[in-house]
Amino acid sequence: MKTNHSNIKKSKFFLDKGQCVAIPTETVYGLAANAYSDSAVKRIYKLKKRPKHNPSIVHYLNLEQLKNDCILNKNFFILYKKFCPGPITFILKLKKSSKISKNVNNNKKTLAIRFPKHALVRKLLKKLNYPLAAPSANISTKISPVSKEDVIDEFGKKVKFILDGGKSTIGLESTIVNLIKKPQILRLGGIEISRINRVLKTKLKFNKKKKTATPGQGKIHYSPGIPIRLNVKKPKLNEAFVLIQERKSSAKNFYYLSKRKNLKEAAKKLYKTLRMIKKNNFKGIAVESIPNKGLGETINDRLIRASKF
Ligand code: TXA
Ligand code: MG
């Protein structure tokens, strides 16, 4: 507890100075900076090598704080009540009076916002008098980090401080819902669409083919840097084999995402497994077929993008 307290103090110290700090969230780690400061946000983009036109998500503690920056609507309140804090991001209209840096959203009139659930980042947000802009803490197009070690893997010593909150419990990014007009799913994520549909009494679907309004969902993304083949029954020589369920006869190149096709467990292990395979110097990755329902749909979405290497 004591170390948490001093680490939060340290994080605040660097953030107040306009530096970037890596923060833990229940989805993935974020590379955070003061969302009201032009120069602080610029640092995130430089470190991540992220194109300016790809806007970032701003992380808030509560509604009170958010009301300064965004115009809220009915659908927002319904989803907020049900899922927040949690792995869901909303696109809302920016208020004219908002102090959000233009570098966060490339001067757009909309803003992506979310309320992270992780206790440590909530403690940190309580101490700050600004929200945190934070894209995932990886170099642009690479795999998102789910632990402190992964952030080090991405940035070495370039990030001033990493707030260590252990392994991210969900392991996949938040679901993004555009609430500007009719609700629209822009990115699959930690909350299944079926749950959103139940609450909003709608039948939203994720349109894979449509060019969405999310600039960050480009074709190549979440890439471990080696080729990935999907729906494979038998791996090739030099390939690692990723499986959704343990097998009786195993081999050295077999990597299990879960014991028994548990999609929640698989989501949590996915990015760590891809990272480990890359480190173990395999020349490629073969993945067996993963059920395309619930979180499995998000896992498949990420794998398809990762396979466009
Ligand atoms: O779980 C998450 O959402 C993590 C943690 C750190 O919160 N963050 C995350 O951020 O995944 P990032 O930057 O890797 O992905 C944000 C996505 C990008 O695809 C970006 O294009 C989209 O959100 N986005 C941000 N602002 C937007 C806006 N105003 N309109 C449409 N899409 C937006
Ligand atoms: Mg990202």
Side-chain angles (χ1 to χ4, degrees):
M1 276 325 271
K2 215 170 170 189
T3 52
N4 274 350
H5 184 69
S6 66
N7 285 340
I8 284 173
K9 252 177 128 174
K10 247 188 208 167
S11 305
K12 175 175 159 55
F13 172 81
F14 286 118
L15 290 165
D16 283 350
K17 281 190 155 208
Q19 298 288 349
C20 294
V21 167
I23 54 165
T25 88
E26 69 281 13
T27 57
V28 300
Y29 273 62
L31 188 60
N34 178 354
Y36 291 155
S37 158
D38 287 346
S39 56
V41 174
K42 216 172 178 179
R43 284 210 166 94
I44 300 177
Y45 280 75
K46 198 168 168 212
L47 275 166
K48 268 186 69 85
K49 302 194 176 95
R50 181 175 175 104
K52 278 191 203 133
H53 73 262
N54 189 4
S56 298
I57 299 174
V58 179
H59 297 66
Y60 288 87
L61 176 67
N62 55 32
L63 280 181
E64 227 35 59
Q65 213 185 16
L66 175 66
K67 278 179 188 159
N68 299 322
D69 297 322
C70 289
I71 299 169
L72 311 181
N73 58 36
K74 195 175 141 206
N75 284 326
F76 166 79
F77 283 113
I78 296 173
L79 293 171
Y80 172 83
K81 218 173 142 194
K82 185 75 186 175
F83 298 118
C84 297
I88 186 161
T89 293
F90 307 108
I91 309 293
L92 295 168
K93 264 195 194 138
L94 195 65
K95 272 191 178 168
K96 280 218 173 81
S97 56
S98 158
K99 288 193 289 183
I100 290 290
S101 160
K102 59 183 187 314
N103 294 341
V104 168
N105 61 349
N106 196 26
N107 249 328
K108 275 158 72 113
K109 292 190 170 67
T110 62
L111 189 68
I113 69 100
R114 101 174 182 89
F115 301 91
K117 193 173 189 171
H118 196 294
L120 214 50
V121 81
R122 285 184 60 79
K123 273 190 186 153
L124 171 63
L125 284 166
K126 256 182 214 162
K127 305 265 183 225
L128 307 174
N129 53 9
Y130 45 82
L132 290 174
S136 49
N138 51 277
I139 304 290
S140 200
T141 79
K142 298 290 184 232
I143 307 176
S144 300
V146 291
S147 69
K148 177 182 175 175
E149 293 70 38
D150 296 350
V151 179
I152 296 171
D153 205 29
E154 289 290 317
F155 294 105
K157 288 188 179 146
K158 283 188 190 148
V159 177
K160 286 274 176 213
F161 189 66
I162 304 171
L163 182 59
D164 188 356
K167 259 194 209 159
S168 298
T169 52
I170 292 174
L172 296 171
E173 297 81 354
S174 59
T175 303
I176 304 184
V177 194
N178 186 354
L179 295 177
I180 301 285
K181 289 182 189 146
K182 229 174 108 202
Q184 201 189 1
I185 306 289
L186 299 187
R187 177 175 75 183
L188 295 169
I191 290 200
E192 297 94 328
I193 300 182
S194 59
R195 295 180 64 199
I196 294 172
N197 280 334
R198 224 173 296 142
V199 181
L200 288 184
K201 301 191 174 72
T202 49
K203 286 186 178 157
L204 305 177
K205 271 194 190 137
F206 178 63
N207 191 341
K208 263 182 262 176
K209 295 208 177 84
K210 198 173 155 203
K211 260 197 140 198
T212 65
T214 305
Q217 291 295 285
K219 269 202 177 137
I220 307 169
H221 215 132
Y222 313 105
S223 166
I226 50 176
I228 300 187
R229 296 191 303 125
L230 305 178
N231 302 316
V232 173
K233 291 213 171 89
K234 221 176 144 198
K236 291 181 191 162
L237 213 70
N238 291 328
E239 264 182 342
F241 195 24
V242 176
L243 301 114
I244 184 71
Q245 149 163 278
E246 282 184 11
R247 286 195 184 178
K248 271 191 196 131
S249 61
S250 199
K252 251 192 167 168
N253 63 334
F254 282 23
Y255 290 81
Y256 297 111
L257 292 180
S258 86
K259 248 194 156 93
R260 276 184 219 163
K261 277 198 187 171
N262 180 321
L263 294 170
K264 227 173 164 178
E265 188 187 340
K268 190 174 172 185
K269 278 198 192 151
L270 179 68
Y271 289 158
K272 266 270 181 248
T273 304
L274 296 180
R275 217 174 258 281
M276 203 173 356
I277 291 172
K278 172 84 193 294
K279 274 206 174 139
N280 290 344
N281 284 323
F282 283 95
K283 295 282 172 285
I285 304 175
V287 188
E288 81 167 340
S289 164
I290 291 172
N292 201 38
K293 55 171 202 262
L295 285 181
E297 207 186 342
T298 310
I299 294 173
N300 282 324
D301 170 80
R302 302 302 191 261
L303 284 170
I304 288 167
R305 286 174 208 279
S307 70
K308 301 281 194 262
F309 168 73

